[in-house]
Amino acid sequence: MEVAIVTVGDEILAGDTRNTNAERVARRLHERGATVARMLTIPDDRELIAEIVDDWRREFDAVVVGGGLGGTHDDVTMGAVTDAFGRELVLEAEVREDLLQQMADYEGVDRADLDPDEIDLDLEAWGATPAGGRPLLNPVGLCPGAAVENVYVFPGPPAEFEAMFDLVSGEFGGDAVSETLATTAPEGSLTDTLAEFRERFDLVVGSYPSTEGTNRLKVTGRDPDTVAEGIEWLRERVSTPE
């Protein structure tokens, strides 16, 4: 399964917010055997988001989009995804009720005593999702996400993003497997060895240097036995910690 990740936010591009969501979801997708084929951060630009989502939903098995949800002026992601599918935004009954229950909890009143006409919240702005899609109620926050065909839209706050991915994590998978080998060899000394490895094996090998400990070689493929063979081949040719 090939997955593309799109994170949205001017604040990420300005360096004001770390892009931890992309890092975490990539790791979790990899743990499930999926392959992250693309990763991109773009601004809060509705037209650009729609263009990227429309292209990538056709190219990859799934697209994960994070950030830019809510009812403020720069929260344009849900509308952009709606545009990508040529649909309309609608406030589903289950989302409306969830928002009202959250407002009741916030105000410390029973839901039955909450008058929707008196709350200070634009339910449409905060809760509308693409028509025909599957709303994803937010387990730890206000704004819902959505699954529209093979596109998954999550809120930007990391706790909400992570909790919402938990709701659909079982829908991601694949047969990619990886093994890692620690080495004391400097990365520059591995050029010839890794070149020979790539000629010999139909595997992906990555070299990850560290300034605080041993370097790492990571081998990825679809057959566990072949990956294990590749790791053993490297182990015989590079220095490893004692």
Side-chain angles (χ1 to χ4, degrees), residues 54-135:
D54 190 34
D55 287 345
W56 284 10
R57 72 183 178 91
R58 303 172 193 276
E59 185 174 354
F60 302 106
D61 298 312
V63 182
V64 174
V65 185
L69 304 188
T72 61
H73 72 282
D74 59 349
D75 291 326
V76 298
T77 299
M78 196 67 80
V81 172
T82 303
D83 295 342
F85 284 91
R87 304 188 185 188
E88 296 181 353
L89 284 168
V90 296
L91 180 62
E92 302 287 358
E94 63 180 306
V95 176
R96 181 178 187 276
E97 184 57 34
D98 183 67
L99 292 176
L100 291 173
Q101 182 61 59
Q102 290 195 60
M103 290 300 296
D105 293 343
Y106 176 76
E107 296 182 8
V109 301
D110 290 333
R111 166 65 185 90
D113 297 330
L114 183 72
D115 185 349
D117 294 329
E118 295 184 359
I119 63 172
D120 186 21
L121 184 73
D122 186 336
L123 298 176
E124 292 279 349
W126 283 90
T129 56
R134 173 167 38 117

Side-chain angles (χ1 to χ4, degrees), residues 178-195:
S178 298
E179 288 193 35
T180 301
L181 175 68
T183 177
T184 56
E187 186 178 37
S189 69
L190 298 173
T191 302
D192 293 341
T193 301
L194 296 185

Side-chain angles (χ1 to χ4, degrees), residues 121 163 173 204 208 214:
L121 184 73
V204 176
Y208 305 102
T214 56

Side-chain angles (χ1 to χ4, degrees), residues 2-221:
E2 287 196 332
V3 183
I5 301 171
V6 182
T7 48
V8 178
D10 293 340
E11 69 279 9
I12 299 175
L13 293 171
D16 295 328
T17 300
R18 290 183 57 197
N19 191 3
T20 57
N21 288 337
E23 176 186 338
R24 289 171 180 167
V25 76
R27 184 183 305 114
R28 296 194 61 185
L29 288 167
H30 184 79
E31 289 170 352
R32 299 193 61 82
T35 299
V36 176
R38 296 287 190 280
M39 188 182 293
L40 179 68
T41 301
I42 55 180
D44 298 296
D45 182 323
R46 181 165 175 163
E47 184 176 343
L48 177 60
I49 299 167
E51 178 184 341
I52 296 296
V53 170
D54 190 34
D55 287 345
W56 284 10
R57 72 183 178 91
R58 303 172 193 276
E59 185 174 354
F60 302 106
D61 298 312
V63 182
V64 174
V65 185
L69 304 188
T72 61
H73 72 282
D74 59 349
D75 291 326
V76 298
T77 299
M78 196 67 80
V81 172
T82 303
D83 295 342
F85 284 91
R87 304 188 185 188
E88 296 181 353
L89 284 168
V90 296
L91 180 62
E92 302 287 358
E94 63 180 306
V95 176
R96 181 178 187 276
E97 184 57 34
D98 183 67
L99 292 176
L100 291 173
Q101 182 61 59
Q102 290 195 60
M103 290 300 296
D105 293 343
Y106 176 76
E107 296 182 8
V109 301
D110 290 333
R111 166 65 185 90
D113 297 330
L114 183 72
D115 185 349
D117 294 329
E118 295 184 359
I119 63 172
D120 186 21
L121 184 73
D122 186 336
L123 298 176
E124 292 279 349
W126 283 90
T129 56
R134 173 167 38 117
L136 302 173
L137 300 184
N138 196 325
V140 295
L142 184 65
C143 189
V148 192
E149 296 183 11
N150 63 335
V151 176
Y152 297 80
V153 191
F154 303 147
E160 298 180 32
F161 186 101
E162 189 82 5
M164 197 165 290
F165 180 80
D166 286 341
L167 299 177
V168 297
S169 61
E171 299 174 26
F172 296 88
D175 53 6
V177 293
S178 298
E179 288 193 35
T180 301
L181 175 68
T183 177
T184 56
E187 186 178 37
S189 69
L190 298 173
T191 302
D192 293 341
T193 301
L194 296 185
E196 184 179 351
F197 178 93
R198 294 186 179 97
E199 291 179 0
R200 181 179 294 267
F201 296 97
D202 185 20
L203 297 168
V204 176
V205 59
S207 175
Y208 305 102
S210 171
T211 58
E212 300 178 354
T214 56
N215 298 330
R216 292 184 302 123
L217 296 175
K218 183 177 180 180
V219 176
T220 303

